[in-house]
Amino acid sequence: MFSLSKLAILPVLFALVIADFPLDFDETFLQLEREDSDTVYRLPEDLDPIHYDIEVTPYFEATANKDAFTFDGEVTIYVRATKNGINSLIVQENVREIISVTLTDKAGTPIAVNASNPFERLRQYHFLKVNLQDGVTLENGSVYKLTIVYLGNINETPLSRGVFRGSYRGNDGRLHWYAATHLQPTNSRQAFPSFDEPGFKSTFNITINRPAHFTTSFSNMRIAETIPMGDRVKEIFNTTPRMSAYLVTFHISEEFTVIAENNDTARSYRILARPNAQGQGAYALEVGPPLTLWLSEYLGIDYYAMGEDMKNDQIATPDWASGATENWGLVSYREVRLLYEEGETNVLDKKSVATITAHELAHKWFGNLVTCRWWNNVWINEGFASYFEYFAMNGVDPSMELEDQFNVFYLQSALSTDASASTRALQHTVNSPAQVTGHFSGISYTKGASLLQMLKHFVTENTFRKALNYFLVDRSYEHAFPSDLYNSFARAVAEDSVLDSGVNITEFMRYWVEERGYPVLNVDVDMNTGLITLNQERFFISASAEPTNQVWPLPLTFTTGNNPNWNNLRPSHVMNNKTYQIQKEAGHEWVIFNVQQKGIYRVNYDVHSWEMLASALKQNRESIHHLNRAQIVDDIFALMRSERMTYRLGFQVLEFLKSETNFFVWYPAISGFTWLRNRFLHLPDTLDDFDAILLEYLEAVINELKYDVKADEPLTTTLNRLYVLAFACNIGHEGCVNDAIEKYKALTNNGVSVNPNLRRHVFCEGVRDGDYAAWRFLYQRRINSNNQADQVVMLRALGCTKNEQAIKEFLEMVLSDDVKAQDRLNALTFLYAGDRNNAKVALQFIKERIEDIRKAVVLPTWFQSVLSNLASYLDEEGLQDMEAWLRANQSNIPEFQTGLNAIASARANMQWGTDRADMILKAARGSAVTVLPTVMLLLTTSIAIMIR
Ligand SMILES: *[C@@H]1O[C@H](CO)[C@@H](O)[C@H](O)[C@H]1NC(C)=O
Ligand SMILES: *[C@@H]1O[C@H](CO)[C@@H](O)[C@H](O)[C@H]1NC(C)=O
Ligand SMILES: *[C@@H]1O[C@H](CO)[C@@H](O)[C@H](O)[C@H]1NC(C)=O
Ligand SMILES: *[C@@H]1O[C@H](CO)[C@@H](O)[C@H](O)[C@H]1NC(C)=O
Ligand SMILES: *[C@@H]1O[C@H](CO)[C@@H](O)[C@H](O)[C@H]1NC(C)=O
């Protein structure tokens, strides 16, 4: 129906300078059981679902013969047989009840089914199997209509996905209900029997029979026809583009409405929300239309030409399991990811509105128009969306510095996740729904996006862009394998002759997609000859991991101290060997590999090169690009941890942080310092000493940032202050704490508003310092708040209390409707993170209320996380208590093994700290002393060279 000829292929007119990216994904930390890698969860491929007609009648209240929160459903799937001899049909369903199943040919003539056993439900696999009469088979190429009448559930929370209900308090003080859908990745089957795999594509006609007193419902497309039917209104929506079933959506509510729109019928863009969020949609509307245009032009396919009468709605949903989901024509966001209120929402949440909008809009090309064949390659959807999350938004608003932010939020995150021995490759076999959901995790987003960035610099942006366009045009409205992507790159690379003939781009990409992990590049410079000897090996964060024989095709960039060039990001060499040599000019100088850290690898240098870098950084840190300073910091923490570098040498280099003020450098520094500090929490003396050292490190950056937000400062300065002060206050920085307490008192006593970008630490310190009344103030402020972002900030701060009554009320609150199901797991963690002693109180509570907690967090994996997060904050006394409880209750806590594993790793972390405390303290303290001689040495040497 939507042929390719309808697409406007825009000419590639201009070479865009690109920027960077980030995104929000599910916070589920899945601990997957190892499931057999058989394929029983997959559908046979003997039928092609061409089209669906879906009709839904929801019940929000019980009636004589209907339960509340159920719906009547009827689906007709038009299927084409793709082979002869088919005697049974299998579709996926996970609905409440199947009422009837009928099969006809295209003209409506019934096909005979097995009279005694017309259909069976294979519940474990979510299969519905329709049995034809003996001897009856479908004809290859013919179209049939499979009609299923069924009952569905409107689930209690969004965490169950499928069709679910949510609520919010309206201005009238009453709770208002709505039903929404979250069908990605394997939950269409809860909404309607379907071919619930991304590789099957169909068009959809959706009809909703909503209660007459509800407002107009929303779906992927505009409403074609409205028919009043007594106490219901039938709403028939236009046909969707050809797409995967997980992209279907509808939203049925009493009063959701348009809160912002661009009033452009041809290129419509609207923000939908509960009516009392009026006024919070302006920023989403400010970024959305330019993003749509930017992506349309960059990718050479216009969004509004992807289907007939396309709309581009974004809906803010108070209850949502993830950050956002890319339903075509109606993207759904958790409210905090779409709504923004000046003066109330902080820049971190504001940035997420922009970048997540970019992410979801990018999915319209990568995910919706072209879809990964199967979820083993979900990175083809999520990696691209994550890449454009930063780079498309950077194109729209360069002042956000998102190209640079990509490094710390995505690339360094990929380097961290992918360093464990148990990491998975981008392409990774998955079968069951749990495995599928698990693959929607870090690597698919962060490493996928980082690979694209590396490729862009490798083949140049023009060729990169051309390859993406070839891929999209070639596979529009179809599914794609990675080979389709490789072929598009091979074609573009060949046409543009951008690579050495020795490089095979297909093999290059395959290696990065199919291999686990990434390399560390060991660099050894001969200062006399200028010969650089390189060696690569898989980087493991664990020092005891077995080395592997992997050899990555590694695009190399480097620059040198005597002639630094930070702007040439085009790799000069591709390292295809375990070892490799590069001859540079002779000269006593530092080298830096991975310029601006665009490649997926860490770098370790010989000791003398590190010392030269330490000196250069200490003398004039600005002589090294801020992204390479950030790289050095992030790499050093990882290299020290993996025992590839001594702490003495590492801290010698890190010394420059004492005068550093740059956000990009401090971000990895804070996470590195926090990681170390967390291993000393059980050693009060060590902790005091370490904190004293950290306070020295923080002095310059705090002096620069100060305690208040300045008008018109860059976004990254505000971000820097947000993170630095939260860290500084938490380790007891006196200036930070006093300023925070003062601001909190001004708020509670005189109603002086706190700048949203300071609230994280101000609220926390105010509550930590204050009594029950100070806590209760914030509790009440949160209940009265109409801003979900601010509510989450307050929820976090409420956990900072040390007051016993407050802790009890906090725990009760987590189980009540005052905390949405999606926030409950985080809320518990906020309490332990707020004050470590709170974990012990929480343990007693969890012991008493385990079944209530299990129910409140809904998902079994979330309950497992409750246990493991708790263990990670307990001291040895608490761990013993928890262990005894788990061992005594194995029969009613099936997850006890998860808890025991978490206890073991908490103990291992403490032991790690105990074993290294003295050595690390000495290194951290001693750095100032050791650098001096090196500087002298360097100066002498340079003089010698100049004289020569
Ligand atoms: C129905 O299926 C059963 C086996 O499941 C078979 O024995 C029987 O012959 C079938 N009946 C018809 C009418 O096809
Ligand atoms: C789907 O809806 C369109 C109108 O939007 C209609 O023209 C078409 O016939 C419908 N398709 C089916 C199979 O009912
Ligand atoms: C669209 O129209 C509405 C109603 O007239 C108006 O309030 C709103 O400001 C308009 N939006 C834009 C972006 O012009
Ligand atoms: C690149 O490698 C692939 C897979 O090994 C091979 O099929 C293809 O022919 C190679 N391309 C070129 C240009 O050599
Ligand atoms: C890579 O290693 C092979 C043998 O292991 C050698 O023949 C080749 O010259 C090396 N290439 C480079 C560029 O070092």
Side-chain angles (χ1 to χ4, degrees):
M1 198 168 281
F2 304 105
S3 66
L4 195 60
S5 62
K6 285 214 171 166
L7 296 177
I9 310 298
L10 301 178
V12 181
L13 286 177
F14 42 88
L16 285 176
V17 182
I18 288 309
D20 286 46
F21 52 75
L23 162 85
D24 186 37
F25 28 89
D26 290 11
E27 304 94 1
T28 41
F29 305 102
L30 286 172
Q31 300 186 334
L32 292 175
E33 329 107 56
R34 292 239 162 270
E35 279 159 290
D36 290 341
S37 52
D38 51 26
T39 52
V40 289
Y41 293 89
R42 300 285 302 278
L43 290 175
E45 291 176 25
D46 51 9
L47 296 171
D48 176 16
I50 301 165
H51 176 84
Y52 291 65
D53 288 332
I54 302 168
E55 186 161 346
V56 163
T57 309
Y59 298 93
F60 287 84
E61 280 151 31
T63 67
N65 52 0
K66 300 291 174 188
D67 287 343
F69 301 117
T70 60
F71 65 91
D72 289 339
E74 177 169 341
V75 62
T76 296
I77 313 178
Y78 293 65
V79 295
R80 179 183 286 118
T82 59
K83 65 177 199 191
N84 278 320
I86 298 170
N87 180 244
S88 65
L89 296 78
I90 297 181
V91 299
Q92 283 152 325
E93 58 86 7
N94 187 17
V95 299
R96 187 184 176 101
E97 192 184 331
I98 298 286
I99 295 177
S100 70
V101 177
T102 48
L103 183 70
T104 70
D105 67 10
K106 204 176 173 187
T109 312
I111 306 287
V113 294
N114 185 310
S116 61
N117 187 20
F119 65 87
E120 337 169 31
R121 301 181 78 187
L122 309 174
R123 298 300 291 143
Q124 182 190 348
Y125 303 111
H126 298 159
F127 284 164
L128 177 70
K129 182 161 175 260
V130 182
N131 299 313
L132 304 189
Q133 201 177 72
D134 283 355
V136 174
T137 59
L138 304 185
E139 188 184 324
N140 186 9
S142 294
V143 173
Y144 300 87
K145 296 197 286 185
L146 175 65
T147 298
I148 301 162
V149 178
Y150 61 100
L151 280 183
N153 284 318
I154 303 180
N155 294 324
E156 189 176 344
T157 79
L159 301 183
S160 307
R161 305 207 178 178
V163 185
F164 69 90
R165 60 192 186 261
S167 64
Y168 59 91
R169 203 162 292 284
N171 283 341
D172 54 7
R174 195 166 64 75
L175 271 196
H176 293 261
W177 291 103
Y178 63 91
T181 68
H182 187 167
L183 307 188
Q184 188 185 41
T186 56
N187 303 89
S188 298
R189 62 193 73 173
Q190 288 195 59
F192 51 93
S194 58
F195 290 76
D196 193 10
E197 296 181 8
F200 292 105
K201 294 205 172 184
S202 323
T203 53
F204 296 83
N205 278 7
I206 294 164
T207 298
I208 305 287
N209 300 309
R210 66 162 164 91
H213 66 284
F214 272 36
T215 189
T216 311
S217 21
F218 300 103
S219 180
N220 304 81
M221 307 304 288
R222 293 191 169 103
I223 290 181
E225 203 182 345
T226 301
I227 308 168
M229 304 191 311
D231 63 353
R232 300 231 164 224
V233 174
K234 183 184 283 293
E235 291 168 333
I236 305 171
F237 294 86
N238 284 337
T239 311
T240 69
R242 187 169 135 85
M243 66 186 199
S244 314
Y246 74 88
L247 293 169
V248 167
T249 190
F250 49 83
H251 191 282
I252 307 166
S253 75
E254 286 179 45
E255 51 167 25
F256 270 61
T257 185
V258 178
I259 61 162
E261 61 183 313
N262 66 352
N263 305 319
D264 181 344
T265 358
R267 305 185 67 80
S268 164
Y269 199 96
R270 305 190 301 176
I271 311 300
L272 319 176
R274 57 186 165 88
N276 53 343
Q278 197 67 249
Q280 299 185 26
Y283 185 61
L285 180 64
E286 182 185 323
V287 295
L291 277 168
T292 307
L293 187 61
W294 190 95
L295 286 160
S296 293
E297 290 182 344
Y298 190 86
L299 297 169
I301 295 173
D302 184 15
Y303 174 81
Y304 293 95
M306 288 181 182
E308 204 127 32
D309 205 16
M310 291 297 284
K311 69 184 175 71
N312 201 355
D313 286 346
Q314 325 290 313
I315 188 163
T317 315
D319 308 77
W320 197 256
S322 63
T325 305
E326 66 266 26
N327 312 309
W328 216 339
L330 179 64
V331 181
S332 301
Y333 300 73
R334 194 183 282 194
E335 268 192 11
V336 63
R337 296 288 166 248
L338 188 66
L339 302 184
Y340 170 78
E341 215 181 341
E342 187 71 34
E344 299 295 332
T345 312
N346 66 37
V347 290
L348 193 57
D349 289 322
K350 183 182 185 186
K351 172 192 143 185
S352 297
V353 171
T355 54
I356 291 179
T357 299
H359 181 104
E360 302 309 332
L361 292 177
H363 268 313
K364 300 300 160 311
W365 290 263
F366 296 97
N368 299 20
L369 190 59
V370 178
T371 315
C372 57
R373 170 68 183 84
W374 173 239
W375 298 119
N376 60 337
N377 279 302
V378 61
W379 75 274
I380 290 187
N381 290 16
E382 298 301 340
F384 276 101
S386 299
Y387 172 85
F388 283 111
E389 172 184 335
Y390 274 63
F391 287 92
M393 193 56 221
N394 188 70
V396 166
D397 183 357
S399 78
M400 295 170 75
E401 301 176 76
L402 290 169
E403 174 159 16
D404 287 359
Q405 288 197 45
F406 184 88
N407 279 39
V408 295
F409 290 107
Y410 265 91
L411 177 73
Q412 290 176 3
S413 166
L415 294 179
S416 166
T417 321
D418 207 20
S420 78
S422 60
T423 187
R424 295 178 293 206
L426 283 175
Q427 178 170 305
H428 172 79
T429 304
V430 291
N431 285 301
S432 69
Q435 289 171 334
V436 165
T437 310
H439 203 34
F440 273 79
S441 62
I443 293 289
S444 303
Y445 294 74
T446 58
K447 191 182 188 183
S450 301
L451 174 58
L452 294 169
Q453 176 183 233
M454 186 163 77
L455 265 174
K456 175 181 73 184
H457 292 293
F458 189 35
V459 305
T460 74
E461 180 150 19
N462 278 335
T463 303
F464 175 77
R465 190 175 163 185
K466 189 186 221 182
L468 298 193
N469 178 263
Y470 285 162
F471 174 64
L472 290 170
V473 170
D474 183 37
R475 301 308 300 162
S476 281
Y477 309 108
E478 303 293 342
H479 60 247
F481 292 98
S483 57
D484 295 313
L485 187 64
Y486 307 156
N487 292 343
S488 303
F489 269 86
R491 184 177 155 205
V493 161
E495 278 177 14
D496 295 358
S497 308
V498 286
L499 293 180
D500 272 8
S501 56
V503 179
N504 181 320
I505 192 71
T506 299
E507 289 178 357
F508 177 93
M509 292 173 74
R510 271 191 64 176
Y511 202 88
W512 281 97
V513 168
E514 294 177 12
E515 289 290 324
R516 311 185 315 151
Y518 66 89
V520 53
L521 182 71
N522 298 307
V523 178
D524 195 327
V525 186
D526 185 327
M527 297 281 167
N528 292 320
T529 63
L531 184 68
I532 308 174
T533 302
L534 304 171
N535 153 288
Q536 62 156 294
E537 57 183 315
R538 168 114 173 244
F539 180 80
F540 289 106
I541 196 65
S542 159
S544 58
E546 279 289 312
T548 67
N549 292 323
Q550 289 162 290
V551 176
W552 279 266
L554 201 55
L556 301 176
T557 53
F558 71 98
T559 190
T560 61
N562 290 344
N563 189 16
N565 177 350
W566 303 110
N567 298 320
N568 185 3
L569 304 179
R570 186 88 201 275
S572 54
H573 301 75
V574 185
M575 181 173 180
N576 269 313
N577 276 15
K578 191 105 183 144
T579 61
Y580 195 78
Q581 290 193 319
I582 295 176
Q583 181 68 56
K584 71 167 184 69
E585 278 173 35
H588 195 203
E589 56 177 350
W590 52 254
V591 300
I592 283 184
F593 274 80
N594 206 356
V595 177
Q596 291 197 32
Q597 206 180 15
K598 301 300 181 193
I600 309 177
Y601 57 102
R602 296 197 186 277
V603 188
N604 195 3
Y605 301 93
D606 61 83
V607 171
H608 186 66
S609 291
W610 271 126
E611 286 175 347
M612 295 191 76
L613 284 169
S615 302
L617 286 164
K618 203 159 183 229
Q619 287 179 312
N620 177 15
R621 62 188 152 71
E622 304 273 352
S623 66
I624 290 172
H625 193 277
H626 60 272
L627 291 182
N628 284 104
R629 303 206 297 280
Q631 168 212 27
I632 285 171
V633 169
D634 190 59
D635 281 351
I636 281 180
F637 279 106
L639 293 169
M640 293 191 304
R641 237 180 104 183
S642 64
E643 297 178 13
R644 291 162 185 279
M645 180 182 210
T646 64
Y647 282 84
R648 201 192 63 82
L649 182 58
F651 273 96
Q652 187 179 325
V653 186
L654 293 177
E655 177 89 11
F656 82 96
L657 287 170
K658 290 181 180 166
S659 47
E660 181 62 79
T661 57
N662 186 288
F663 163 71
F664 299 98
V665 192
W666 265 105
Y667 187 86
I670 288 175
S671 68
F673 284 136
T674 303
W675 190 90
L676 284 177
R677 186 180 183 273
N678 282 344
R679 269 128 201 93
F680 301 146
L681 296 178
H682 63 298
L683 306 169
D685 293 344
T686 305
L687 192 62
D688 281 352
D689 289 356
F690 194 63
D691 284 349
I693 295 168
L694 294 182
L695 292 174
E696 268 179 59
Y697 271 93
L698 285 165
E699 213 175 287
V701 65
I702 293 182
N703 278 341
E704 168 80 17
L705 294 169
K706 310 234 161 31
Y707 301 118
D708 289 291
V709 180
K710 292 177 210 78
D712 302 324
E713 65 185 13
L715 166 69
T716 55
T717 304
T718 316
L719 277 179
N720 202 20
R721 189 183 300 98
L722 193 153
Y723 287 115
V724 165
L725 292 186
F727 179 64
C729 266
N730 201 43
I731 65 172
H733 184 281
E734 212 179 288
C736 181
V737 171
N738 291 342
D739 182 77
I741 291 173
E742 212 170 284
K743 287 192 164 84
Y744 192 73
K745 288 204 171 122
L747 170 70
T748 54
N749 298 342
N750 305 316
V752 179
S753 176
V754 179
N755 184 295
N757 300 301
L758 305 173
R759 285 179 191 175
R760 186 180 283 193
H761 71 276
V762 167
F763 286 177
C764 177
E765 294 307 321
V767 162
R768 187 175 276 164
D769 169 71
D771 53 9
Y772 174 75
W775 182 85
R776 190 73 197 181
F777 172 88
L778 199 66
Y779 172 91
Q780 204 54 52
R781 191 179 178 279
R782 177 177 172 277
I783 297 291
N784 296 337
S785 167
N786 186 35
N787 176 320
Q788 201 176 67
D790 202 28
Q791 284 169 9
V792 174
V793 170
M794 289 186 271
L795 185 62
R796 182 193 291 264
L798 287 171
C800 296
T801 186
K802 296 169 191 270
N803 181 282
E804 212 165 301
Q805 177 64 25
I807 297 169
K808 280 199 189 119
E809 287 183 28
F810 186 99
L811 287 162
E812 291 293 345
M813 172 182 76
V814 172
L815 297 188
S816 77
D817 289 340
D818 284 343
V819 174
K820 289 197 177 285
Q822 68 213 25
D823 293 323
R824 288 184 185 139
L825 178 61
N826 284 341
L828 288 172
T829 307
F830 291 156
L831 184 68
Y832 325 140
D835 190 295
R836 198 159 178 246
N837 290 321
N838 294 350
K840 273 197 235 176
V841 186
L843 172 61
Q844 299 317 314
F845 184 79
I846 290 171
K847 281 156 87 170
E848 286 159 25
R849 304 285 291 278
I850 179 163
E851 291 312 319
D852 294 337
I853 291 168
R854 190 193 295 282
K855 188 164 173 291
V857 297
V858 184
L859 302 178
T861 50
W862 279 33
F863 182 72
Q864 292 181 354
S865 298
V866 168
L867 295 180
S868 38
N869 293 351
L870 175 65
S872 68
Y873 285 91
L874 287 170
D875 60 11
E876 179 53 34
E877 192 192 350
L879 290 176
Q880 283 177 19
D881 189 359
M882 181 173 174
E883 183 175 0
W885 167 65
L886 286 175
R887 292 201 187 278
N889 290 281
Q890 295 187 13
S891 54
N892 51 5
I893 312 174
E895 305 82 357
F896 76 96
Q897 194 54 51
T898 305
L900 293 181
N901 293 347
I903 289 170
S905 77
R907 288 195 171 124
N909 284 340
M910 288 192 240
Q911 192 60 45
W912 192 98
T914 306
D915 292 345
R916 291 164 182 78
D918 289 345
M919 185 258 293
I920 291 174
L921 274 186
K922 200 165 156 229
R925 254 193 229 115
S927 45
V929 194
T930 51
V931 155
L932 254 179
T934 318
V935 175
M936 307 277 283
L937 174 75
L938 176 60
L939 289 177
T940 333
T941 328
S942 346
I943 292 164
I945 290 169
M946 278 160 58
I947 292 171
R948 224 191 299 150

